[in-house]
Amino acid sequence: MRQPKVVIVGAGFGGVSAARALANTPLDVTIVDQHNFHTFSPLLYQVATSSLAPDDIAPNLRGIVRGAPNLDARMTTVRGVDFERREVLVDHGAPLPYDYLVLAAGAVSSDFGVPGAAEHAIPLKTLANATKIRSTVLSRFEDANADRSRAGDGTLTFVVAGGGPTGVELCGALSELIAIVLRRDFKRMDVGRARVVLVEMTEHLLGSFSPRSRAEAGVELARRGVEVRLGVPIAAVAGDHVELADGTVIPTRTVLWTAGVKANPVASALSLAQTARGQIVVRPDLSVPGHT
Ligand SMILES: Cc1cc2nc3c(=O)[nH]c(=O)nc-3n(C[C@H](O)[C@H](O)[C@H](O)COP(=O)(O)OP(=O)(O)OC[C@H]3O[C@@H](n4cnc5c(N)ncnc54)[C@H](O)[C@@H]3O)c2cc1C
C-alpha cells in the first residue's frame, strides 16, 4: 500500500522536531534543507568567537534521519510550492510530491533597511555567518599586528548592533576571547586598545527579560570592558565607521549585526496570507487557512 508522503521544509528546530515525531510511523517523510546539516543556533556565538568548532553545533542531517526507515533527507533550496499539484519546487532535481506539507524554513536576519548594513555588517544567523565573524575578527588582529598604527583607525573596534540575547552573548564572548586568548596570542601588541561596543536602540539591554536580568547583563558587560550605548539606533554603516542617530561616528571595520530577524523570503513566494512582518498566517493548530 502507498504510504502518504510528508515533506518538511527546513531542518531547523521545528523541522527536526516534526521529523522526529513522525519517525517510525506509516508515513513516507522527506526533510528538505538548503544545507546537509542542522544548525544549533544558540551556540553560533561560540563558533563566532572560536570556543567551538563549526562541526560541534552542526550535526549531519543524514545522521539525524538514519535510524528511522521512513525518514529521508534532501539537500536543496526550496523556491516555492505548487499547491494545485501538491509539489514542492526545488532549485535542483524534480519537484517533491507531498500529501502533507510542513513549512519550517525559519527566519532570516533583518537589517531594517539601515543604509550600508547589508554591504558592510555581518549578521549572526547561520553557520556561514559565524565562521565569517570568526575569521574577520582574527584577521583584524593580524592586520593590527602587521601595522601597529592601525589599532587607532578602528581596525580593533568591534561594533555589535542589537542588545538582545544574541548581541549580549556575542559581546561577552568576544571580550573574553580578546582578554584571555588574543592577549596571549598577540603578545607584542597592545591588545588593550581593542574595543567592543554594543549599540542598542532602546533604553535597555535584553528588552524581553526581567529588570534584574537586564541590570545584571549591563554590570557583567561593563566588568568585561564592553562599552554599551543605549537609546540610540545605528543610522548608517560604512566600510570604516558606523554613524549613530545622535551623530556619533565610531571608526570600525567590523560591524556584527544581531538587531533582529524577519520572515524567511520563501514565505512571500507562496502566495499565502502574511502578517505585516511577512510571517505566514496560521490557525492556532499551525495549519494554513484554506489548505488541507
Ligand atoms: C544566534 C542565535 C542564538 C539563539 N539562541 C537561542 C536560545 O538560546 N534559545 C532559544 O530558545 N532560541 C534561540 N534562538 C532562536 C532559535 O534559534 C529559533 O527560534 C529557532 O531556530 C527557530 O526554529 P525554526 O525551525 O523555525 O527555524 P531554524 O532553526 O532557523 O531552521 C530553519 C531551517 O530552514 C532552512 N531553510 C531556510 N530557507 C530554506 C529554503 N528556501 N530551502 C531549504 N531550506 C531552507 C535553514 O537552512 C534552516 O536549517 C537563537 C537564534 C540565533 C540566530
Side-chain angles (χ1 to χ4, degrees):
M1 197 180 96
R2 178 186 169 278
Q3 289 184 325
K5 287 184 186 300
V6 180
V7 173
I8 300 172
V9 177
F13 285 112
V16 167
S17 301
R20 287 199 167 124
L22 299 176
N24 303 308
T25 60
L27 296 166
D28 174 3
V29 181
T30 302
I31 183 163
V32 187
D33 201 284
Q34 58 198 340
H35 305 121
N36 61 354
F37 53 82
H38 164 79
T39 304
F40 190 83
S41 340
L43 294 180
L44 280 171
Y45 79 98
Q46 297 219 15
V47 173
T49 53
S50 307
S51 57
L52 286 177
D55 282 5
D56 294 337
I57 69 158
N60 179 349
L61 189 51
R62 299 216 165 263
I64 292 172
V65 301
R66 187 177 296 134
N70 70 321
L71 298 188
D72 196 10
R74 269 287 296 274
M75 186 178 86
T76 184
T77 299
V78 170
R79 299 292 180 205
V81 177
D82 184 335
F83 291 110
E84 290 279 309
R85 299 171 67 98
R86 297 182 91 88
E87 288 178 343
V88 175
L89 310 174
V90 294
D91 74 348
H92 63 268
L96 302 170
Y98 66 83
D99 298 294
Y100 301 97
L101 177 62
V102 178
L103 294 171
V108 295
S109 178
S110 173
D111 58 31
F112 302 107
V114 172
E119 296 92 321
H120 301 292
I122 315 174
L124 181 57
K125 186 72 185 76
T126 66
L127 196 59
N129 296 153
T131 54
K132 185 169 179 190
I133 290 175
R134 180 166 74 172
S135 62
T136 302
V137 169
L138 298 179
S139 299
R140 299 297 186 238
F141 275 82
E142 294 293 351
D143 291 346
N145 191 48
D147 176 356
R148 304 284 162 81
S149 66
R150 298 196 61 177
D153 73 359
T155 297
L156 287 185
T157 299
F158 303 94
V159 173
V160 175
T166 301
V168 167
E169 280 176 335
L170 183 60
C171 285
L174 196 52
S175 60
E176 221 167 52
L177 171 74
I178 294 168
I180 297 171
V181 181
L182 299 181
R183 188 182 296 281
R184 281 203 315 255
D185 289 354
F186 292 86
K187 45 184 174 281
R188 295 191 180 158
M189 204 168 83
D190 181 7
V191 169
R193 296 181 71 180
R195 296 169 66 196
V196 178
V197 184
L198 175 55
V199 182
E200 162 56 43
M201 67 181 285
T202 71
E203 296 295 336
H204 303 285
L205 295 174
L206 302 179
S208 57
F209 285 50
S210 68
R212 186 175 156 196
S213 297
R214 291 181 198 162
E216 280 178 4
V219 169
E220 185 55 30
L221 289 181
R223 192 184 69 75
R224 294 175 186 219
V226 176
E227 300 167 40
V228 177
R229 292 290 316 267
L230 294 175
V232 59
I234 289 181
V237 182
D240 59 358
H241 69 273
V242 295
E243 196 182 323
L244 307 189
D246 64 3
T248 308
V249 172
I250 305 174
T252 178
R253 294 169 193 279
T254 316
V255 179
L256 309 177
W257 198 265
T258 64
V261 294
K262 63 181 180 191
N264 190 310
V266 81
S268 302
L270 302 180
S271 308
L272 299 173
Q274 289 174 269
T275 67
R277 295 177 59 205
Q279 299 144 311
I280 297 169
V281 175
V282 293
R283 296 195 193 94
D285 65 359
L286 300 185
S287 63
V288 177
H291 290 262
T292 51

